[in-house]
Each structure stands twice: as C-alpha cells, then as structure tokens.
Amino acid sequence: MKRGILIIEKLKIIKSNIRLLLGVIIISVIVSLGLLASYITWYQPLMAMEGPPYQPPSLQHPFGTDDLGGDIYTNVIYGIRTSLFVGVLSAVIAMVIGIMIGTLAGYYGGFIDDLLMRIVDMAFIIPQFLLALLIATILGPNIYNITLAIGVTSWPGIARMTRAMILSIKQLTFIEAARVIGLSDTRIIFSELLPNALPPIIPYIALQASSNVLVEAGLGFLGVSDPNVPSLGMLLNDAQQHILMNAWWMSLFPGIFLSLMILGFNLLGDGLIEYMNPRLRRAS
Amino acid sequence: MRTSISNKKFLITLISITVILILSLETSYYLVYGETVQPRYGGVLVVGIPSEPPNLVLTGAPTWVYYQVVTPICNSLIDFDPNTLEWVPDLAESWNITVTPDGKMLVIFHLIKNAMWHDGYPFTSADVKYSYEVIGPKFNSFIAGMWKYLEGIETPDNYTVIFKFNTTWGLILYPGYFGGAGTCISPKHLYEGTDIVNNPYNLKPVGTGPFKFAEWVKGQYIKLVRNDHYWKKGLPYLDAIIFKIIPSSSAMALALQKGEIDFVWNYGLTMSDAVALEKMIKEGKLPNLKVWFFPSPGGSIDFLGFNLHPDGPAPLKDVRVRKAIAMAINRTAIAELVYYGKVEPLSKIVPNVPATAMFMPTAKQPDYNPDEANKLLDEAGYKRGPDGIRFRLRLTIDATSYPWYVQEAQLIRDFLKQVGIDVQIITLDTAAWHQTVFRNWDFDMSIFPFVEGPGPAYFIQYFTKRGIVRASWSNAMGFDDPRADEYLFAAEKEINKTKQIELVKKALDIITEDQPGVWLVSRTFIAALNTAFSDELQPGVWENGWGTAYMRPEKIFLKTLPVTTPITTTTPTPTTTSPTITVSTPTPTTTTTSTPPKITTPVPTTPAAPTLSTEAIIAIGVVILVVIIGASLYLVRRRK
Amino acid sequence: MVSGFKMFIIRRIILYTALFFSVIIVTFLLIHLAPGDPTYILAGQVTDPEFIKAVRHRFGLDKPLYEQLIIYIENVLRGDLGYSYFRSEPVTKLILERLPATFLLVLTSMFIASLIGVLLGTLAAAKRGVVDSIISILSLLGISIPYFWLGQLMLIIFSMDLGWFPTGGMISLTTTYTGIYYYLDVLYHLVLPATTLAIFNIAYITRVTRGSVLETMSQDFIITARAKGLPERRVIFRHALRNALIPVVTFIGFNTGVLLVGAIVTETIFAWPGMGSLLYSSLQLRDYPVLLGIFIYGALIVITINLIVDILYGLLDPRIKRE
C-alpha cells in the first residue's frame, strides 16, 4: 500500500515535470551523439566518394549517400555537433549582450534607458534572420562569423526581459537600502540585483538556443554555411538542389535530427521555466 | 458468271483501294516524319530563360541571357560558321581586309541594300557608324575595347562602311567585334539626339532581324513576333517566339516535362536536373523531349588557378609542387561526380571543341598518379607532419554564380588530403569573389570558369603579363613566362591564320610545362528541345558573356504543322570566303550622310496580361483590416 | 486637452519615424561596407579600366560614402528609391511588382494561421484535459519543426510523388487563364507554400493564445462572471477572449517581420515570384538600390503593422487611455 502511494507520488512528480524531463533526455541524447561522433560513425565527415552517389539507405549507409557519394549518416552526426556549437555559443553571446544592455537600461534609467531601448526597438523592426543573413554574407561564411552574426542579432528579446526584471526588482526595498548604505553601483548590480534577476532568465538560454539552431539551419539552407564543416542546414540545401533526383533520404534524416534538437531545447526551456515558477505551470 | 466477274472487280477494287491507302499514308507519314522535312510556316516556340536581361539594347552588354532574346531581333555585319569559325555574310554581303604599307589596317564592308528596320526605315551605313561610335562604347565592352586600335569609321556611301585601324589587329577575325556575339546594329534614327542610356527603345528594341519585339511583361515573359518584311525572303517560319522567365531550375525542368516550354539553352537547368530529365526520357516517360549535352562550343573550362604572385604561398612557387597537385587530382572523378560524366576531363590545356581544337598543343598535363605526387612533394622538401599534413592551402570559389563549384571544391579537398595537403574552402558570392581574387589577389587557389576561345585573346588575357592588372577576369594568378608572352603578342598581330595558330600552340606548350594551375574539366552545355521542332537549334560559337549565335531562329520550324505555302526561298547564297588580305595605298574617302525618307508602320503593342494587381491585394488587405477594427470596436462598445 | 490616447499615438508615430530613418542609415552603411563592388558585375567581363571608370561614374559609385547616403535619403523623401543596377527598372516598380505576390502568401497564411491558432488555443485552454494535451503537443511539434524542411518534405511528397500540387511558381506556365480561372489557378499554386508558412504560425499562435486565455481565466472578473452563473461559453467569448486577445494581437503584429522572413525562404523553395527571391538575388548581385528598397519597404510594413497594433491595443486596453 505504501509503495503504491510512493509510486503514484513519483509518477505525479514526473508528470508535472514531464517537459523538463523530456527536454533533458532529448538534449542529453543529442549531445552524446555529438560527443561520441567519431565512435559511432565509420566514415570521415564531408568525405566524398565513400560510395556510389544517390544511394537509398542501406546497412552500410544507414541514411543513404548524397550527390557526391558521401555518407549522410556521418554528416548528420557531425552536423549535430556544428548545430550545437553554433546554437549554444550564439545563445550565450546573445544572453551576455542582452543581459548587459537590459541591466544598464533598467538600472540607470533615464537617457541611457531611452537610448538603449530605442536601439532595441530598431532591432525589432529589422527581422533578425535578415540581419544575420546580411552580416554573415558580409563577414564571409565561416563558422565563427556565422555564430557571431546570429549571436549579435538575437539579444533584443533577452534585453527587454532583463530590463523588465531589473525594473521590478529595483523597486524592492533592499536595493534602496544598499544604495543608502553607499554601496557602489557595480556592487549593487552584481551582488544584489543580478543574483535575483537572473535565475528566471536562465531558462531562456535554452529557448534562445533552440531559436538560434533554427536560424543557423535556415542560413545553411540558403547556402550561407561553412563548407569545411558539416552542417544540417547545408545538408538540407543539398537536398533542395538535387530535389529532382528523388533522393528523399537527403531531406528526411537531417530534418528529423534538426527538429529533435529544436524540440529538445524548447522542452528544456519550457520545463525549466515551469520548474522554477510552479504557479505558471500549465497543468496537463 | 456474274459472281466471278464481280469477284474480280471486287478484288481489283479492294487491291487498288489498299494500294492507294498505303501510298497516301506513306506520303503523309513522309511529309511529317520524312528524312527531308520541308519547312512549314506557323507555330510558336516557347523558350525558357532563368532571368531577365537588364535591357534589350541591340549593341548591348554581352551577357548570355541578353543574347538569347536579342539574336532573333537583330543582325550584325557578319556572322560565324559554327564549325569553321569563318565569316559568313549577314548585313554585310562582302568585305575586304586591307593592310596599308605603313602597317595600318582597313576593313571594308559592303552592306546589303534591301534590309529594313522593323519600323519601316531603311538600313544604311549610317546605322553601322552610329552603333560603333556612339551606342556600342556605352554598353559593349568589345566595342569599347576596339577603340584603342580604331582610328575612325567612314561611310563613303549608304552601303559601304570602312573601319580604319591603326595597326594589324588580328583579333577582329574572331567573334565579338563585327558579329557573332550579339554585336548587332542599332537604328540611328531612333537614338540620335536622345539620352542613349535611358532611351525607351532600350526596352522595346527595333532591329532588322527575323522577329520583331512585341511585348515584355516584367517577371513573366518577353514576346517576339514574325517580321513579315524580313530581308531574307521566305524567312522566318515561326509566327512568334516567347521567352518565359522561370527562375528555378526545378521549375524549368518541370515545365519541360509538362510541355509548357519547348526549348531551354543551357542557362536555367542545373546539370542534375538535366540528367534527371535524361533519365526520364530513357525510361520512355517523355516521348516529346530531347535533352542533349555537348561540350561548350566556346571553350569554357574549369581551371584551378594558383596564386603565383611574390607574396603568394611559398609551396606553390615550386613547379614540383604544382605538378604534384595536378597529379593528385583525379579529373575523371570530377567529371563523373560533378558533371555526371558529361564533360571531358582535361589532359591537354585546351578542350577539344571547335573554338579551341585548332590550338591543341603537343604537351599535356601529368596524369592522375597520387603515389608520384607524394614522391614529388617529399622531393620538394615538404614532408608530412605528425598529423599527416604537409602544408595548408585555401581554395576560394564563387559559390553564387557557380554553386556546383562547392562540390568540385570538396572533391579537390578530398584528393589533396590524400597527398597530405589540407585545403580550407572559402565560399564567396560573385562580387566578393571578384574583389578578393581579381583585385586583392588574396587567395591561394581558386576555381576559375575561364573561357579559352576562340582566338588568342583569352590566353593573352589570362596568361601573359599584360593581363596582370587588378581587374575582373584578368591574370589573377600573376603568371608570367616571357617566352609564352612573346609568342602570344606576336600572334595578336598576325593576320595569317595558319601562322597565328602556330605561334599560339608554341605558347601553350610552354604554359603547360609551367603548370600555373590545373586545367580540370571542360564544361558542358545542356540543351532541351521539344522534338516537334526542327533541329536548327545548333550550338553556336560563343557562350556566356561573349555572345552566342546559338540558334538560327529564322530557320526553326514546327514539324507537325501541315505544309501550306510553297517554299520559295531566295536566300542569298553564302559566300564563305576567308577575308582577303591585300596591301595597297589607301584611297581618299569622303563621308556622306543622307537622311533616308521616312516610312512609318506602327510598332504593334499588345495590352499587358492580367496580373494580380496591387489594387486587388490592397483591397483584400483593407477588407481584413476593416474587419479587425470593426470587431474590436464592437467589442469595445460591448464593454461599455 | 489632447486625449491620452491621441498623445500616445502621436508619440508612437514620432518614434517610428525616427526608427525608420535609423533603419535606412544602418542598412545603407552595412550594405556598402560589404566587400565586393557591383561595378565589376555591371561592367561584365571587361578589363578596360576606362570602361570601368565610366560605369562607376554612371552609377554614382565614385562619390564618398556619406555623400551617397545624403543623396539617397533626399531621394527617399521624394519617393524615389533609385534605379536597379542590373534590371533597368526603377526600384519602386520592381518591388511593387513583386509585393502583391508576397502579400498574398503572407496574408493568406497569416489569416488562416490566426483563425485556426486562436481557435485551437482557446479550445485547449477552455477544455483542458486530453484535448489540451493533444493540442499542446501538436503545437510544440509545430514550432520545433523547421518550416523550410516541412516545405521541402511537402514538395517531395505532395508535388513530386503524389502529383497533387504544382511544384512551383504562382501560375501555370503556358495556359493563360482569365477571369475566375486565373484566381483559381493562383489559389492552386498557393496551397503548398501557404500551408508551409501557416503551420509554423498556427503552432505559435495556439501557444500564445492558450497561455493568454489561461491567464485571463484565472483572473477575478472571470470568477465573478462564473459565480453569477453565466454559461461557460458566454464567459469565454464575451469576457475572457476580449482581454486574452490583446497579447495575441500584439504578438501577431510583432511577428510580421518573422513572417516576411519566412516568406523569403518559402518563396525560394516553391519558386513563388515574390519579394523573397528578389531579395536573395539582389543580395548576391550587390544590387544596392534594390536591397535598400526592400529593407525600406519591409521596415515600412512592419512599422505600419506595429502602429495598427498600437491603435488596436489602445482601443482594447482601457489602461492606455488613461495615460
């Protein structure tokens, strides 16, 4: 009887945190695939002529071969690495910039706030993807430039959110107290404000990562990708270019893993938000 | 007996009917499908093009997309026989090239007298002079470049034009200057006194050719209709030609499959789409379509060029390294994988096509031999490091205009990896590629889509010191071998074709030995045709940017139509003479200009086809907006 | 005394104007700082430096950058967006020719997506339970699947394998339909690309609506309405939805930019003759005037939508009025 209740309790906990759990599982699987890439593949990434071109999936080539005879499975697994790298790193860049700007705007208010928020507004008017496309094209398509381009165009949302958080915390008395005592601004920001403002924002790294992975794939799809590095977007671009060859496997497999990655990050982000704010929980 | 007589009659009748039936079937079959098919009048040819030309100036900027549309509308002074590259008459029925004792050259053209512009004005030498003096230099780089060697143009009468050159410039024998590159003649009476660059006739051209411009619906199609007063009597056969604009290759392939377009000439179909079509045709799924691949007639090739400037990468300065790279790359594999086996892997540095076959040198590039390559690299002192790599090189390509270069680059990277050279691929768009490679010289290796013919002009441009300028389509490699230079410059001034060819061959032998890069493969042209049309759609002499006389549109006809009008072709018999060279003293000439009488026939205009008008969309948008606003207002009021 | 609402709108307009100009300046600078020069593409395969100089001068590319910028802004104010370098056409004409196609695509998918999305979201929030779970999962999948991949798959399955829909373009190629058949033909070609764009947005809108409705439903006045004994449907439609829709409308407005971008990529897949393909080819050709023109039009559209949303926001939300 007791054990039955325990199990039911456990199931309830799992059920209410299902998103988080699923997200963690998916992302862990994906990350391990990426880390173990060299162990689970038997061809070199981006090597052509590993087999005859345009072969449908087989034992030797589980995802088939592409137009140059390269093994798609290998490229997909290594492509996951690239997407993870670009997606997460650019999300981190975006977070850093966004938090910085949001904090400055929220804390100092006044003219600085106005100026920074106008910049944020402007950033909202030019669609992020277009700007990233423009910047990536200007800088040249290699993986660092692309990461930079995406990171530098995805901070506005974070900035606004951070600013809102800072604004709401700023009002709290203990901040007033700190100022009265005479603590320096920097000290206040780093030891009082941020530790309170940041935690709710952290989950958004995951959401940002999911969005950035999509942008990176979109850029790759349009041909803006580093040819020296396998990328899922580039694989989809290949599929589009050779679409008349009826090689559906060139499109299906990269897309599935791309979707999984984005889904994983979304679940992770949503799950974390729920976990930290039980009252926002959309019970299901 | 009655029965036997009627039986006999019956039998005879039966037999005769059968014979007559068979004979008539035979004749009609023969008429439609027979060997000597008679041309017939009528029909519309729909051509698919992937983009619109910026304008339709007849003496305009030489790009391929422009040619396809302009060639049916206009004529040049002379045309080129696609196989022999000799001059054939067009607007000029005969000509004379004369060298004066002081080394200058006169080219005299005698024009036909019965050509007429589409608006009724007669064609005269004044049009030629105006086109070459005023219009050409503004739009056409050939003509602009010609003026370095041109002293003047004279028109002693309405049907004679004399071009005076200050030296014996041998390049005029090749397409681009007097014809064969869409270097057509424009009507002076419609351009004189106007703002040439913004002249409305740049978008609705008036020419002398077999087809007249009818309409241009931007983004959709350009329509040309038959010129009933074409000066070549009896031509053309077709009623109209429509150029449909289809920007994507897969859409183009689909349109061909569905029979929505009849003809595609090279641009607009990717290799893989064309190969897919070919597969379907082989399987019998597309009985009316024919796809064929043929080597680029103008001598286009893919050339992997090395940066040989003083500040270029050190390994590439050693000829052994360059030879090793040539040995490491399996050109046949590139031809198979990137071009589906449709192109020629290059052993010698010119492809075996009409435009360049005459220049075929004796020397050839090293064969594919990765072991030998490894040996050579070791010899040259570049041993493999602990990670197996000897040195790194960058490979910069134009991935926008030539997207399949990405695959080619990947293959090259793989091949070079096997001999220990690590390659980093840098993909740039067209503008950036030109800037980086041609003007900044900031590259190690690059794939150049060079055109090697016809004529020595290209070798001079890409492989002599004269070409080392920081400008697009120049000798970005910085390659300069004075021995080769000597031969090529001499060839430029040589008017005797045989001698010229010998000089060029010697130069090419030297260049092959020097290996300033690896000549990878020739490029192939693709054509797709609805088999109901005659096979007059011949390969032309040039391609891509240097002109194409790719089809004789006046001669195309639709085979499935009934023969209605008897054909009385009084086409002037072509005088295929090589230009005769005579040395003589120049005769004094006077220029006369006369204003021809004006005969006006209105240029037909057709109303534009209905498109999804901006008004319609705005209307829909407004309706949606009103609905939303109305709904919210209603909600607001309800609140109160 | 000017009403708070009017003040609000006027302030917004001033803000947007300033933003508009900043967008122009920033985009202009970015584009011109890009390596690569259209002169060389314009001049064709030419080596003659004189010719190139002439071409440069003809297009005004030899003036210093700030001068070009000033000239450009002057022209924009006059409504002249310049001439395309590569297609002998005024930029405005080029863009306006393609704008209807993109509009058609974007508006149709937006319309469908909004309708279905709001419906599904409300349903999920209202009914809860299994229906909610299913809809939530579906919408999560919808935003996780890359829309261009979806479009590609739909192209492969529905166009190539099954042959139900055309593989691209806006109209059938030779047969020129007229009248009602023309519109039906366009509609036929519209199905796949619009669906591709719509699915992504349906998912998003569903999620936002659901969240918003849920939040509204937990508020006091709803509980009051329920306590009054009003039927559930009345509660939802009369009271909850009105408030819940505010953030949704805002979201739809802000998302226009994203939609435009989605349209660009979708147009590439389906060869839809809209602004998307124009943008892409102009980017590669460095056709500055067209590029700038597209960004300007895009900014204009986004600003207009934002302004409309602000107005609606102000009408719907009484708090704004009192400012």
Side-chain angles (χ1 to χ4, degrees), chain C residues 140-199:
Chain C
L140 187 59
L141 281 178
I143 63 170
S144 304
I145 296 181
Y147 60 95
F148 45 90
W149 179 55
L150 201 60
Q152 200 176 64
L153 278 183
M154 288 210 292
L155 187 66
I156 294 180
I157 298 177
F158 292 113
S159 271
M160 295 180 45
D161 281 350
L162 290 175
W164 288 355
F165 291 103
T167 55
M170 190 168 87
I171 50 173
S172 294
L173 292 168
T174 23
T175 356
T176 8
Y177 297 107
T178 44
I180 183 80
Y181 295 107
Y182 178 77
Y183 293 104
L184 284 179
D185 187 36
V186 172
L187 210 66
Y188 180 53
H189 283 80
L190 187 58
V191 172
L192 282 186
T195 317
T196 311
L197 262 188
I199 291 186

Side-chain angles (χ1 to χ4, degrees), chain A residues 42-44 47-56 58 60-61 64-72 74, chain B residues 337 411 414:
Chain A
W42 47 94
Y43 290 114
Q44 291 273 6
M47 273 300 268
M49 302 171 293
E50 305 280 15
Y54 299 113
Q55 291 299 305
S58 62
Q60 196 170 25
H61 298 281
T65 62
D66 63 19
D67 53 300
L68 286 180
D71 179 48
I72 295 186
T74 315
Chain B
L337 287 171
L411 285 177
D414 288 347

Side-chain angles (χ1 to χ4, degrees), chain B residues 282-353:
Chain B
K282 280 211 182 85
E283 292 167 2
K285 292 192 193 151
L286 297 172
N288 291 327
L289 197 60
K290 178 171 147 195
V291 168
W292 75 107
F293 300 87
F294 49 94
S296 145
S300 296
I301 54 151
D302 287 345
F303 172 70
L304 178 68
F306 300 138
N307 183 341
L308 302 168
H309 291 283
D311 56 355
L316 292 177
K317 301 223 183 323
D318 187 335
V319 67
R320 286 172 296 185
V321 172
R322 303 202 294 269
K323 292 281 178 201
I325 293 181
M327 281 181 217
I329 299 178
N330 185 344
R331 285 155 257 156
T332 314
I334 294 183
E336 301 273 310
L337 287 171
V338 179
Y339 293 101
Y340 304 90
K342 306 285 183 189
V343 299
E344 177 198 344
L346 289 172
S347 166
K348 305 217 173 161
I349 69 175
V350 293
N352 194 357
V353 296

Side-chain angles (χ1 to χ4, degrees), chain A residues 118 122 125 127 129-130 138 218 221-222 236 240 243 251-252 255-256 258-259 262-263 266-267 270 282-283, chain C residues 15 19 22 30 34-35 128 140 144 146 148-149 152 155 160-161 207 210 261 264-265 269 279-280 283 303:
Chain A
R118 290 316 135 235
M122 193 167 68
I125 293 196
F129 185 80
L130 274 189
I138 292 175
F221 182 74
L222 287 182
L236 286 179
Q240 184 69 23
I243 203 158
S251 168
L252 187 69
I256 289 183
L258 195 56
S259 311
I262 298 178
L263 183 66
N266 275 335
L267 284 171
D270 274 350
R282 309 129 184 227
Chain C
L15 174 66
L19 284 178
S22 351
L30 265 181
R128 315 307 302 276
L140 187 59
S144 304
F148 45 90
W149 179 55
Q152 200 176 64
L155 187 66
M160 295 180 45
D161 281 350
R207 276 162 68 94
R210 179 182 176 278
V261 166
I264 292 176
V265 181
I269 304 178
L279 175 68
Y280 195 51
L283 186 60
I303 288 179

